[in-house]
Amino acid sequence: MLGDEAINLICGLLPPDGAKSGLKELTLSANPGITPKGWSRLAIAVAHSSQVRVLNLDYNPLGDHVAGMLAVAVASSRTLEVLDLEGTGLTNQSAQTLLDMVENYPTALRSLVLAENSISPELQQQICDLLSEGEEEEEAAGGAGDTQEWERGREPAAHHKGNSSWMCPSDPSSQMVLMTSGLGDSLLAETEM
């Protein structure tokens, strides 16, 4: 039952880089009272926050316009690892933007949920194929020894995709793309603090 006024207060808990510590996980599921103006304010705050790692926006009527703003926020964020956009009214236009972002811009994103949206199975498969290629390259590079692993560990998180894996629906008529996380217990432990 949150609205734009609540978003303004929440944005105050997402300080810009270098400021005081802020929220690391934010769940705003099922808040139809938030307008596109409120969502755009949140996207700007997320883009400039150095803390947010998990953002759950499932079951909000976001649509393609807001999803485009969120894609820019994800591309700008150095820390956002989990984004849940399940049942948010996205179409192939949003999925194409997200595909372009993942394909062309390094992000820290590890988990993306696009279930229950109007996204074509073909576009879902393109996303799956692209991320599968990135995962295979990461696995091949990981087998090169401890020195390379140490070098990769020194890079900023935004420069490599990590151990993320996409689970594509086995039924081509299914309308979902899921990405699971390899973060495991470390993310759980961090979000419970």
Side-chain angles (χ1 to χ4, degrees):
M1 303 302 292
L2 299 178
D4 288 355
E5 191 173 315
I7 289 294
N8 289 338
L9 295 172
I10 290 167
C11 287
L13 300 173
L14 303 172
D17 290 346
K20 60 187 177 197
S21 65
L23 294 176
K24 291 185 183 215
E25 181 173 348
L26 180 57
T27 298
L28 293 171
S29 304
N31 286 292
I34 300 171
T35 68
K37 181 179 177 182
W39 291 122
S40 64
R41 179 147 164 67
L42 179 71
I44 292 167
V46 168
H48 291 285
S49 172
S50 61
Q51 304 293 317
V52 178
R53 293 186 178 169
V54 178
L55 183 59
N56 297 307
L57 302 178
D58 50 321
Y59 301 106
N60 285 298
L62 302 180
D64 291 331
H65 182 69
V66 173
M69 288 186 282
L70 289 170
V72 172
V74 171
S76 299
S77 173
R78 292 176 295 156
T79 60
L80 188 64
E81 298 172 346
V82 178
L83 179 60
D84 186 350
L85 297 175
E86 180 175 1
T88 53
L90 305 186
T91 68
N92 287 343
Q93 179 182 339
S94 301
Q96 190 64 54
T97 301
L98 292 166
L99 174 64
D100 182 55
M101 177 202 64
V102 172
E103 185 176 27
N104 296 305
Y105 303 95
T107 70
L109 195 65
R110 303 283 183 261
S111 177
L112 175 63
V113 181
L114 296 173
E116 295 185 39
N117 286 295
S118 298
I119 299 172
S120 75
E122 294 82 14
L123 190 50
Q124 291 179 36
Q125 192 61 51
Q126 285 179 337
I127 293 170
C128 290
D129 292 346
L130 175 67
L131 292 172
S132 293
E133 287 174 15
E135 184 179 300
E136 289 168 7
E137 290 170 9
E138 194 70 27
E139 287 174 7
D146 292 338
T147 305
Q148 186 170 1
E149 187 64 33
W150 180 79
E151 289 289 332
R152 235 190 10 226
R154 288 182 37 208
E155 295 176 16
H159 284 67
H160 55 83
K161 291 198 180 358
N163 294 324
S164 60
S165 62
W166 284 77
M167 294 176 51
C168 299
S170 56
D171 176 10
S173 66
S174 173
Q175 293 295 320
M176 63 188 239
V177 174
L178 296 177
M179 186 172 171
T180 59
S181 171
L183 296 175
D185 295 336
S186 65
L187 180 61
L188 281 176
E190 201 167 283
T191 58
E192 287 174 1
M193 292 181 171

